[in-house]
Amino acid sequence: MKTKVIVDSTSDIPASWIEKYDIDIVPLYVNWTDGSSEPDNVRDEESLKEFYERLSKAEELPKTSQPSILDFQNAYKRAIEDGYDSILVLTISTKMSGTFNSARLAAQSFDIPIEVIDTRMASSIISNMARYARELLDSGMSLEEVAQKVREERENKRFHAIFFVSDFDFLAKGGRVSKFTGFVGNLLKIKVGIYINEEGEMIPFDKARGYKKAYSMILSKMEEEGIKIGQKIGLIGIHCNGKEHIDEMLKLIKERYEVVYFDYSSTGKVISTHVGIGMAGFGIEIIR
C-alpha cells in the first residue's frame, strides 16, 4: 500500500524532511489579541525569525488553537487524490492539545485505512517518530503493523524530548506545563530544563544559571532518562532563535554518544508561542 504520513505543525519538522520522508503537515493556529489569526504553516528560518521578533515585542502573548476536523479532512482528501491508499497521522500529545481528536474524527469520514496516533510528545520528537514510521513502511510493514510498532516503541522509551527554556513565563502563562514550586516567580536569566513524561506532559526537572550549566543539565537528564553513554542515537536539534546552543550541546553529545543522524529545526509559530525565545534542546531517538 502507498501510505502518506501526516503530522501536525507542532512537530517542528526540518524543512528538508517533508520531501525526504514524504510527509504532509496540518497546521495549528496562532490567534492574536487584536482578533487576527494565522496558520502555523512556515518552516523557513527567515520567516520564523520575523515571527520571533513580533512575539518578543508583543505586550500580550497570542493564544493557539488546534486544527479543525475540516482541516484534517482536506489533508486526507489531498492524500487520496495524490494516489495514497492509506494514511498514518502523528499528533501532539492530548495533554497539550485537542489536535488528536480532530484528526480521529476526520478519519471517520473516509473508507481508506487511517491510523491516528497520540504521540504523547510535542515539537521535533514527533518528526523523529515520523522518520521512524517511514523507515518501517519502506521495509514493507503494513499500516497497522507500523502504528502498533510506533506505539510500542513510544512505551519502550525509544523517543525523548529534552530541552531548556530561557523565559519560563511563556510556558507558565500558556498553561502547558506543571507549575511546580520553585519554578515560578522571578526566574530572570535562569534556564529551566523541561522534558516530556510518559503521560505526555511537559515537566520542569531542573534549573541552571548560565548556558554552560544548562548544557550539562540537558546531558545529565539524557542519562537519567535511560539514554546510556555510548548508545546510537538520532537527533533533531530544536531551537527558538538559539542555534548556537544546539551547536555547543551537539559537541558534548558527540563525545558521549554515536550520533547516527542529525538535523536542525527551528520552532514553528505555535511551539514558539509556548516555549519563548531562547529555547534549545533535542528530539532524541534511541537507535536499537
Side-chain angles (χ1 to χ4, degrees):
M1 298 181 78
K2 188 179 177 185
T3 303
K4 169 61 78 174
V5 176
I6 294 177
V7 297
D8 66 64
S9 62
T10 66
S11 64
D12 291 336
I13 188 167
S16 64
W17 283 32
I18 297 169
E19 182 177 356
K20 184 177 182 180
Y21 298 115
D22 192 12
I23 295 171
D24 197 6
I25 306 170
V26 175
L28 278 76
Y29 297 89
V30 174
N31 307 305
W32 295 90
T33 54
D34 64 3
S36 63
S37 179
E38 60 186 277
D40 181 17
N41 60 355
V42 172
R43 291 308 315 145
D44 68 281
E45 199 165 318
E46 287 308 310
S47 296
L48 284 171
K49 283 185 178 180
E50 292 175 14
F51 178 81
Y52 299 158
E53 186 69 19
R54 278 192 290 149
L55 193 64
S56 64
K57 292 178 179 178
E59 293 183 6
E60 188 176 344
L61 290 178
K63 305 293 185 183
T64 60
S65 58
Q66 69 201 50
S68 67
I69 295 172
L70 181 60
D71 288 332
F72 276 103
Q73 287 175 335
N74 288 336
Y76 300 162
K77 286 177 185 176
R78 285 195 302 271
I80 293 169
E81 289 168 359
D82 289 340
Y84 294 88
D85 42 30
S86 63
I87 299 171
L88 178 66
V89 188
L90 300 124
T91 75
I92 185 174
S93 171
T94 51
K95 295 287 187 179
M96 304 180 205
S97 170
T99 299
F100 170 81
N101 286 328
S102 291
R104 180 180 55 84
L105 291 170
Q108 296 174 5
S109 304
F110 297 85
D111 294 329
I112 70 167
I114 302 176
E115 287 277 354
V116 183
I117 297 176
D118 170 12
T119 65
R120 297 184 199 164
M121 289 290 176
S123 194
S124 64
I125 188 58
I126 299 174
S127 296
N128 294 79
M129 297 173 81
R131 186 212 66 85
Y132 176 64
R134 176 58 69 194
E135 186 178 77
L136 296 178
L137 288 165
D138 288 347
S139 75
M141 291 177 68
S142 70
L143 173 66
E144 294 75 16
E145 289 171 334
V146 171
Q148 181 180 347
K149 185 68 174 175
V150 170
R151 291 186 179 107
E152 285 177 359
E153 291 291 359
R154 178 193 63 196
E155 298 298 326
N156 292 335
K157 301 195 73 174
R158 183 187 184 102
F159 305 102
H160 301 264
I162 305 173
F163 58 97
F164 67 79
V165 296
S166 297
D167 189 341
F168 188 69
D169 281 345
F170 276 80
L171 279 170
K173 289 175 182 177
R176 295 302 198 279
V177 67
S178 300
K179 298 179 181 179
F180 286 1
T181 302
F183 286 98
V184 294
N186 183 13
L187 289 173
L188 185 66
K189 295 184 180 179
I190 297 292
K191 316 304 172 190
V192 178
I194 309 285
Y195 81 110
I196 300 178
N197 68 8
E198 293 177 4
E199 286 73 45
E201 300 169 308
M202 284 193 287
I203 305 294
F205 65 85
D206 203 353
K207 51 191 176 182
R209 187 178 295 277
Y211 286 111
K212 286 188 177 180
K213 290 182 179 179
Y215 305 158
S216 296
M217 176 176 68
I218 297 298
L219 267 69
S220 295
K221 186 61 176 175
M222 288 174 65
E223 285 190 71
E224 185 182 317
E225 287 298 294
I227 308 171
K228 298 176 182 178
I229 300 295
Q231 277 190 308
K232 294 180 179 180
I233 58 174
L235 298 172
I236 298 177
I238 181 72
H239 65 94
C240 186
N241 209 28
K243 186 171 180 283
E244 67 276 15
H245 305 306
I246 299 300
D247 291 335
E248 291 301 317
M249 286 188 284
L250 183 61
K251 291 176 188 175
L252 300 172
I253 288 172
K254 284 183 172 179
E255 292 173 359
R256 300 182 177 204
Y257 299 94
E258 183 179 342
V259 178
V260 176
Y261 71 82
F262 169 79
D263 213 328
Y264 295 99
S265 191
S266 298
T267 52
K269 296 176 184 178
V270 166
I271 293 295
S272 302
T273 298
H274 292 291
V275 300
I277 312 302
M279 168 271 191
F282 296 90
I284 307 164
E285 177 189 359
I286 297 174
I287 309 295
R288 298 190 175 100

